[in-house]
Amino acid sequence: MPTRVAGPALPLAVEQDRLLACVHCGFCLDACPTYTRLGDEADSPRGRLYLMRAVMEGRIPPDDDAFVTHIDRCLGCRACEPVCPSGVEYGFLLERARASIVATGDRRMLERVMLAVFGDRMLMRVVLLLARTLRATGLAATIARALPAKWQRIRFALAMLAASGPTPESRLAREPLPGAATPRPDRSGGPARGPSVAVLTGCVQQGLFARVNEATTRVLRANGCTIVTPAVQYCCGALHAHGGDLDTARSLARANIAAFERCGADHIVVNAAGCGAMLKDYGELLERDAAWANRAAALAERARDVSELLAGLGVRRGAPLPLTVTYDAPCHLHHAQGVTNAPLELLRAIPQLHHLPLRGADECCGGAGTYGLTHPELGGRILQDKLAAIRETGAEIVVTPNPGCAMQIGAGLLLAGDDRPVLHPIELLDLSYRRGGITS
């Protein structure tokens, strides 16, 4: 049996003001992917906040079965936050709720292993090297397709790994459409000198999507930015915070704050939605740490999604790419950061790239960090709705600026026998620049 933790020792115990902000109006219900599919009040943001309050007040323990079940089922997509008239900080409270559960000793073995890996730089590098090797052999995709449905978790994990692989440029670099005007790329004297930026390389992003980091650097330089490279950087801590391991998340945050302070860049640029939301939340993560609170808030102010920064600078136009794409908005970019139009501005900077709107583009794909693996049934149900919407568009390419979303959607497409690629918008803009000879 887990050890019961007394109320005052819980992370939720000091969050009374934040919890009482919820007036139970119900605006969050239709925005919640788990409530709209399960129809259970306890699987809505309002219901979960009620359970959190019960734990805070000592009416139920944090290892109560109902509390653990319904908090665990939450995707953490934060779609409830933009529609909440009371400004409830649901994502913040969800992490404290999960930390309260973790304090009882209750955590899945899969989550323990993943958090241990991403909390140790050397171990993480070894694991991601092995993953890249398996991906390169083609075995990940082959085994994923061959495994029977009863091996669902292993099958889907391998499909996610296979989906992280690069798309051959031969599938993307097409000639301009017949008879279409060919706008010239912007080479008029180069862009004005922009800010100095440090790029957060990330864990999964650098380990499995290094090409996205490389494309990000090239595009930033082409838009006049000076790249500053920190001597060292660490996992942002998002997976740990979402999993309730706030101590490790805070330790990683402090290490990153010190590293990025030393590099002196004007902005910290992030190309992974979940990591960007985490950096922007460093101020709240360390708000009760007197030695780090101001430093954390200052770094959060300097954090920018790459599309957010480029849209603010006025992104340069590239060469034509006559392709059809559909855009899926990552939850932690759209809802948590409120960056909604900037990624589309990057796509609009590519002549002849036709964007086809996606039904439910702002709804979660079911990935949510480890959710697609830990909740294969519900996560899979949400994913199937996303895949159906993608097929409706008829687009050749799916674009989404978050590695977890790319792997979740890509795995679903792969297992369905659908070979359309899933790319980061910055990859297409980079290809457009390279076709037009735009470098700086």
Side-chain angles (χ1 to χ4, degrees):
M1 289 290 291
T3 302
R4 292 176 180 261
V5 179
L10 297 175
L12 279 174
V14 294
E15 303 302 341
Q16 181 175 10
D17 289 345
R18 283 182 165 106
L19 280 168
L20 293 179
C22 176
V23 296
H24 305 286
C25 64
F27 279 91
C28 59
L29 298 182
D30 289 340
C32 178
T34 55
Y35 177 76
T36 55
R37 285 163 177 83
L38 300 175
D40 187 335
E41 173 75 15
D43 284 314
S44 71
R46 181 173 69 179
R48 292 184 178 110
L49 288 165
Y50 184 83
L51 289 169
M52 291 180 207
R53 184 172 173 180
V55 168
M56 178 196 71
E57 294 172 348
R59 290 185 281 118
I60 61 173
D63 57 358
D64 179 86
D65 287 344
F67 183 68
V68 173
T69 296
H70 297 298
I71 294 299
D72 183 55
R73 274 188 197 150
C74 181
L75 288 151
C77 69
R78 295 171 64 172
C80 51
E81 290 185 7
V83 300
C84 177
S86 302
V88 175
E89 299 172 62
Y90 180 82
F92 178 98
L93 291 167
L94 176 66
E95 290 174 357
R96 274 70 191 164
R98 287 180 171 162
S100 298
I101 294 170
V102 167
T104 70
D106 190 342
R107 186 190 290 165
R108 286 188 180 90
M109 181 55 67
L110 174 61
E111 290 179 340
R112 289 178 186 271
V113 171
M114 290 189 71
L115 296 185
V117 168
F118 286 100
D120 185 305
R121 292 180 72 228
M122 291 305 299
L123 182 58
M124 177 184 67
R125 288 178 178 177
V126 171
V127 169
L128 289 174
L129 173 61
L130 293 174
R132 289 195 302 273
T133 303
L134 179 61
R135 183 182 70 185
T137 65
L139 287 174
T142 301
I143 297 172
R145 292 189 180 102
L147 282 175
K150 67 178 181 178
W151 296 94
Q152 187 175 9
R153 282 188 173 88
I154 296 175
R155 183 172 178 251
F156 198 77
L158 289 170
M160 290 178 73
L161 176 59
S164 71
T167 299
E169 286 192 7
S170 58
R171 293 189 60 188
L172 307 175
R174 298 184 181 176
E175 295 302 315
L177 295 173
T182 305
R184 293 186 177 182
D186 175 14
R187 295 198 199 92
S188 54
R193 183 175 177 81
S196 63
V197 301
V199 178
L200 179 79
T201 53
C203 302
V204 172
Q205 196 76 317
Q206 182 62 23
L208 299 179
F209 293 87
R211 64 185 183 275
V212 175
N213 284 341
E214 293 160 5
T216 297
T217 298
R218 287 191 293 266
V219 168
L220 288 168
R221 284 188 174 129
N223 281 274
C225 296
T226 301
I227 307 298
V228 178
T229 305
V232 64
Q233 55 177 288
Y234 303 85
C235 171
C236 69
L239 281 176
H240 300 85
H242 301 336
D245 185 357
L246 293 178
D247 288 341
T248 301
R250 290 182 178 117
S251 177
L252 291 167
R254 293 184 193 103
N256 273 325
I257 291 165
F260 284 114
E261 283 176 343
R262 286 192 294 269
C263 81
D266 296 324
H267 297 296
I268 316 303
V269 172
V270 191
N271 55 23
C275 300
M278 188 68 214
L279 260 65
K280 291 180 179 181
D281 285 345
Y282 272 3
E284 287 77 22
L285 182 68
L286 294 170
E287 65 183 7
R288 292 188 171 89
D289 185 329
W292 288 89
N294 290 338
R295 296 169 70 180
L299 183 131
E301 285 294 319
R302 293 160 60 203
R304 298 286 187 280
D305 182 75
V306 62
S307 66
E308 182 182 18
L309 180 78
L310 290 170
L313 294 174
V315 61
R316 296 179 74 180
R317 286 174 65 80
L321 289 181
L323 298 164
T324 57
V325 303
T326 192
Y327 172 75
D328 186 63
C331 298
H332 280 82
L333 187 63
H334 192 95
H335 304 305
Q337 297 185 57
V339 177
T340 57
N341 189 55
L344 300 177
E345 289 196 35
L346 267 58
L347 299 178
R348 287 193 285 267
I350 305 172
Q352 296 184 22
L353 188 75
H354 185 39
H355 170 230
L356 301 168
L358 179 67
R359 173 176 56 83
D362 60 346
E363 186 177 58
C364 187
C365 64
T370 61
Y371 196 96
L373 298 175
T374 58
H375 297 75
E377 291 80 18
L378 185 54
R381 183 174 167 187
I382 294 168
L383 173 61
Q384 290 306 314
D385 291 340
K386 182 70 69 178
L387 297 180
I390 288 170
R391 294 187 191 101
E392 287 173 10
T393 69
E396 299 167 275
I397 298 169
V398 182
V399 289
T400 187
N402 189 57
C405 301
M407 293 172 74
Q408 174 81 355
I409 294 171
L413 291 171
L414 184 149
L415 293 174
D418 189 329
D419 68 347
R420 79 188 79 197
V422 183
L423 303 176
H424 194 294
I426 209 77
E427 291 184 89
L428 287 174
L429 186 57
D430 174 57
L431 177 59
S432 172
Y433 283 1
R434 286 188 284 122
R435 289 195 74 186
I438 300 172
T439 56
S440 60

